[in-house]
Amino acid sequence: MNRKLLRGEHLISTWRDITLTSHRVWQDAREGSSAALTSMPVDAVQWVRLGRHHLPWLLWLAAVTAVLGIAALEYDRMITYGLFGVALLLMLLYGTTRRLVLEIGAGAGKIVVQVVGEGASFDAALEFLYQVEGRRQVHVSGADARSGASASGAWPGGAGAGG
């Protein structure tokens, strides 16, 4: 989707279906025939999260199944082959259910990207999040400078309140 940029806004970075500009972060998510666009101002971003989600119990179950297959080797080779096949299937399932999860949150809204398998580089996602955080810091410090807030918090026109 081609988005029209605001006046003075420029493109900074894109990772998967998330785009960072000088003013906004947006996600153009398409799945099948449905599409969703989530957009939030950069200065509204409150938190970011990057992690891997996987199901380690599948690996444990595969290991137990393989041990059972080794134990059944003395009794029946067909059972052993079957158990080794189940262990391989469990390891394959583990490999296909691993995913990289990136989240950017602002208030009640959030942008979530999940990339299945090893197709996504953790380093590229982390670099994108560094850019989002850096852009947010630029916006926050720029807003403080524009507001003219003083560090002492004194009232304008006097040293304190009351009299």
Side-chain angles (χ1 to χ4, degrees):
M1 170 183 283
N2 284 338
R3 295 258 317 179
K4 200 171 191 178
L5 298 177
L6 301 172
R7 185 175 303 141
E9 182 179 28
H10 59 278
L11 182 70
I12 294 176
S13 181
T14 300
W15 185 79
R16 298 292 174 167
D17 59 355
I18 302 177
T19 301
L20 171 66
T21 70
S22 56
H23 293 71
R24 299 176 287 178
V25 178
W26 77 70
Q27 178 185 29
D28 181 19
R30 295 179 184 271
E31 191 170 315
S33 62
S34 64
L37 177 71
T38 306
S39 178
M40 62 182 67
V42 170
D43 54 356
V45 172
Q46 294 175 336
W47 53 271
V48 295
R49 178 181 175 269
L50 179 64
R52 288 207 183 270
H53 178 66
H54 59 101
L55 304 172
W57 58 269
L58 286 172
L59 282 181
W60 287 106
L61 196 57
V64 168
T65 306
V67 168
L68 289 175
I70 292 171
L73 188 59
E74 295 180 14
Y75 301 108
D76 188 1
R77 288 202 187 276
M78 291 308 290
I79 292 174
T80 300
Y81 295 148
L83 288 172
F84 282 159
V86 169
L88 286 174
L89 179 66
L90 288 170
M91 289 189 299
L92 179 67
L93 282 173
Y94 172 78
T96 58
T97 58
R98 284 185 56 147
R99 58 186 181 261
L100 181 67
V101 180
L102 180 137
E103 297 179 26
I104 301 172
K110 68 179 172 179
I111 293 175
V112 178
V113 176
Q114 295 186 21
V115 182
V116 177
E118 297 298 323
S121 167
F122 189 85
D123 293 334
L126 189 60
E127 179 62 32
F128 182 80
L129 286 184
Y130 284 152
Q131 290 177 349
V132 169
E133 285 288 313
R135 195 68 213 166
R136 187 177 72 81
Q137 291 298 326
V138 166
H139 262 264
V140 168
S141 63
D144 288 344
R146 283 191 302 271
S147 70
S150 65
S152 65
W155 291 89

PDB file of all heavy atoms in Angstrom, residues 1 4 23-24 44 59 81 83 89 92 126 151 158:
ATOM      1  N   MET A   1       0.847  -1.161   0.000  1.00  0.00           N
ATOM      2  CA  MET A   1       0.000   0.000   0.000  1.00  0.00           C
ATOM      3  C   MET A   1       0.897   1.230   0.000  1.00  0.00           C
ATOM      4  O   MET A   1       1.803   1.354   0.806  1.00  0.00           O
ATOM      5  CB  MET A   1      -0.892  -0.021   1.247  1.00  0.00           C
ATOM      6  CG  MET A   1      -1.643   1.254   1.477  1.00  0.00           C
ATOM      7  SD  MET A   1      -2.612   1.234   3.003  1.00  0.00           S
ATOM      8  CE  MET A   1      -3.981   0.255   2.498  1.00  0.00           C
ATOM      9  N   LYS A   4       0.468   8.134   1.624  1.00  0.00           N
ATOM     10  CA  LYS A   4       0.857   9.509   1.363  1.00  0.00           C
ATOM     11  C   LYS A   4       1.521  10.052   2.623  1.00  0.00           C
ATOM     12  O   LYS A   4       0.981   9.930   3.718  1.00  0.00           O
ATOM     13  CB  LYS A   4      -0.383  10.326   1.021  1.00  0.00           C
ATOM     14  CG  LYS A   4      -0.101  11.578   0.301  1.00  0.00           C
ATOM     15  CD  LYS A   4      -1.390  12.189  -0.177  1.00  0.00           C
ATOM     16  CE  LYS A   4      -1.083  13.296  -1.130  1.00  0.00           C
ATOM     17  NZ  LYS A   4      -2.303  13.885  -1.652  1.00  0.00           N
ATOM     18  N   HIS A  23       7.578  10.784  11.457  1.00  0.00           N
ATOM     19  CA  HIS A  23       6.443  11.159  12.302  1.00  0.00           C
ATOM     20  C   HIS A  23       5.626   9.984  12.824  1.00  0.00           C
ATOM     21  O   HIS A  23       4.985  10.094  13.852  1.00  0.00           O
ATOM     22  CB  HIS A  23       5.484  12.075  11.528  1.00  0.00           C
ATOM     23  CG  HIS A  23       6.054  13.407  11.209  1.00  0.00           C
ATOM     24  ND1 HIS A  23       7.053  13.585  10.278  1.00  0.00           N
ATOM     25  CD2 HIS A  23       5.772  14.625  11.703  1.00  0.00           C
ATOM     26  CE1 HIS A  23       7.350  14.873  10.200  1.00  0.00           C
ATOM     27  NE2 HIS A  23       6.592  15.524  11.052  1.00  0.00           N
ATOM     28  N   ARG A  24       5.616   8.860  12.080  1.00  0.00           N
ATOM     29  CA  ARG A  24       4.705   7.759  12.416  1.00  0.00           C
ATOM     30  C   ARG A  24       5.376   6.407  12.266  1.00  0.00           C
ATOM     31  O   ARG A  24       6.399   6.267  11.610  1.00  0.00           O
ATOM     32  CB  ARG A  24       3.493   7.778  11.473  1.00  0.00           C
ATOM     33  CG  ARG A  24       2.668   9.007  11.531  1.00  0.00           C
ATOM     34  CD  ARG A  24       1.581   8.955  10.504  1.00  0.00           C
ATOM     35  NE  ARG A  24       2.146   9.165   9.160  1.00  0.00           N
ATOM     36  CZ  ARG A  24       1.446   9.134   8.052  1.00  0.00           C
ATOM     37  NH1 ARG A  24       0.160   8.870   8.095  1.00  0.00           N
ATOM     38  NH2 ARG A  24       2.004   9.343   6.893  1.00  0.00           N
ATOM     39  N   ALA A  44       4.069   8.743  20.472  1.00  0.00           N
ATOM     40  CA  ALA A  44       3.115   8.012  21.308  1.00  0.00           C
ATOM     41  C   ALA A  44       3.619   6.618  21.669  1.00  0.00           C
ATOM     42  O   ALA A  44       3.050   5.969  22.534  1.00  0.00           O
ATOM     43  CB  ALA A  44       1.770   7.890  20.590  1.00  0.00           C
ATOM     44  N   LEU A  59      10.386 -30.608  21.790  1.00  0.00           N
ATOM     45  CA  LEU A  59      11.716 -31.232  21.770  1.00  0.00           C
ATOM     46  C   LEU A  59      11.869 -32.263  22.885  1.00  0.00           C
ATOM     47  O   LEU A  59      12.452 -33.329  22.678  1.00  0.00           O
ATOM     48  CB  LEU A  59      12.808 -30.168  21.902  1.00  0.00           C
ATOM     49  CG  LEU A  59      13.127 -29.385  20.642  1.00  0.00           C
ATOM     50  CD1 LEU A  59      14.230 -28.385  20.907  1.00  0.00           C
ATOM     51  CD2 LEU A  59      13.531 -30.318  19.516  1.00  0.00           C
ATOM     52  N   TYR A  81      11.113 -48.172  14.641  1.00  0.00           N
ATOM     53  CA  TYR A  81      11.033 -47.294  13.472  1.00  0.00           C
ATOM     54  C   TYR A  81       9.867 -46.310  13.613  1.00  0.00           C
ATOM     55  O   TYR A  81       9.981 -45.134  13.265  1.00  0.00           O
ATOM     56  CB  TYR A  81      10.895 -48.108  12.186  1.00  0.00           C
ATOM     57  CG  TYR A  81      12.093 -48.971  11.872  1.00  0.00           C
ATOM     58  CD1 TYR A  81      11.942 -50.178  11.216  1.00  0.00           C
ATOM     59  CD2 TYR A  81      13.381 -48.579  12.225  1.00  0.00           C
ATOM     60  CE1 TYR A  81      13.028 -50.974  10.916  1.00  0.00           C
ATOM     61  CE2 TYR A  81      14.474 -49.370  11.934  1.00  0.00           C
ATOM     62  CZ  TYR A  81      14.297 -50.562  11.282  1.00  0.00           C
ATOM     63  OH  TYR A  81      15.372 -51.351  10.996  1.00  0.00           O
ATOM     64  N   LEU A  83       8.539 -45.175  16.432  1.00  0.00           N
ATOM     65  CA  LEU A  83       8.860 -44.178  17.452  1.00  0.00           C
ATOM     66  C   LEU A  83       9.891 -43.163  16.949  1.00  0.00           C
ATOM     67  O   LEU A  83       9.791 -41.968  17.243  1.00  0.00           O
ATOM     68  CB  LEU A  83       9.362 -44.865  18.728  1.00  0.00           C
ATOM     69  CG  LEU A  83       8.283 -45.605  19.528  1.00  0.00           C
ATOM     70  CD1 LEU A  83       8.912 -46.410  20.663  1.00  0.00           C
ATOM     71  CD2 LEU A  83       7.240 -44.645  20.052  1.00  0.00           C
ATOM     72  N   LEU A  89       9.027 -36.311  13.480  1.00  0.00           N
ATOM     73  CA  LEU A  89       7.874 -35.446  13.248  1.00  0.00           C
ATOM     74  C   LEU A  89       7.775 -34.360  14.328  1.00  0.00           C
ATOM     75  O   LEU A  89       7.509 -33.200  14.021  1.00  0.00           O
ATOM     76  CB  LEU A  89       6.585 -36.278  13.207  1.00  0.00           C
ATOM     77  CG  LEU A  89       5.301 -35.498  12.994  1.00  0.00           C
ATOM     78  CD1 LEU A  89       5.292 -34.874  11.612  1.00  0.00           C
ATOM     79  CD2 LEU A  89       4.102 -36.391  13.189  1.00  0.00           C
ATOM     80  N   LEU A  92      10.359 -31.742  13.654  1.00  0.00           N
ATOM     81  CA  LEU A  92       9.928 -30.918  12.535  1.00  0.00           C
ATOM     82  C   LEU A  92       8.867 -29.904  12.974  1.00  0.00           C
ATOM     83  O   LEU A  92       8.920 -28.732  12.592  1.00  0.00           O
ATOM     84  CB  LEU A  92       9.377 -31.808  11.413  1.00  0.00           C
ATOM     85  CG  LEU A  92       8.870 -31.088  10.171  1.00  0.00           C
ATOM     86  CD1 LEU A  92      10.028 -30.429   9.440  1.00  0.00           C
ATOM     87  CD2 LEU A  92       8.133 -32.045   9.271  1.00  0.00           C
ATOM     88  N   LEU A 126      16.053  -6.201  15.493  1.00  0.00           N
ATOM     89  CA  LEU A 126      16.595  -5.407  16.582  1.00  0.00           C
ATOM     90  C   LEU A 126      17.054  -4.045  16.083  1.00  0.00           C
ATOM     91  O   LEU A 126      16.818  -3.019  16.738  1.00  0.00           O
ATOM     92  CB  LEU A 126      17.752  -6.155  17.242  1.00  0.00           C
ATOM     93  CG  LEU A 126      18.307  -5.570  18.524  1.00  0.00           C
ATOM     94  CD1 LEU A 126      17.221  -5.492  19.597  1.00  0.00           C
ATOM     95  CD2 LEU A 126      19.470  -6.411  19.015  1.00  0.00           C
ATOM     96  N   ALA A 151      13.705  23.490  33.849  1.00  0.00           N
ATOM     97  CA  ALA A 151      14.047  22.385  34.728  1.00  0.00           C
ATOM     98  C   ALA A 151      13.581  22.630  36.155  1.00  0.00           C
ATOM     99  O   ALA A 151      13.312  21.712  36.894  1.00  0.00           O
ATOM    100  CB  ALA A 151      15.557  22.149  34.699  1.00  0.00           C
ATOM    101  N   GLY A 158       7.140  34.717  38.494  1.00  0.00           N
ATOM    102  CA  GLY A 158       7.446  34.754  39.922  1.00  0.00           C
ATOM    103  C   GLY A 158       8.209  33.525  40.345  1.00  0.00           C
ATOM    104  O   GLY A 158       8.325  32.564  39.608  1.00  0.00           O
TER     105      GLY A 158
END
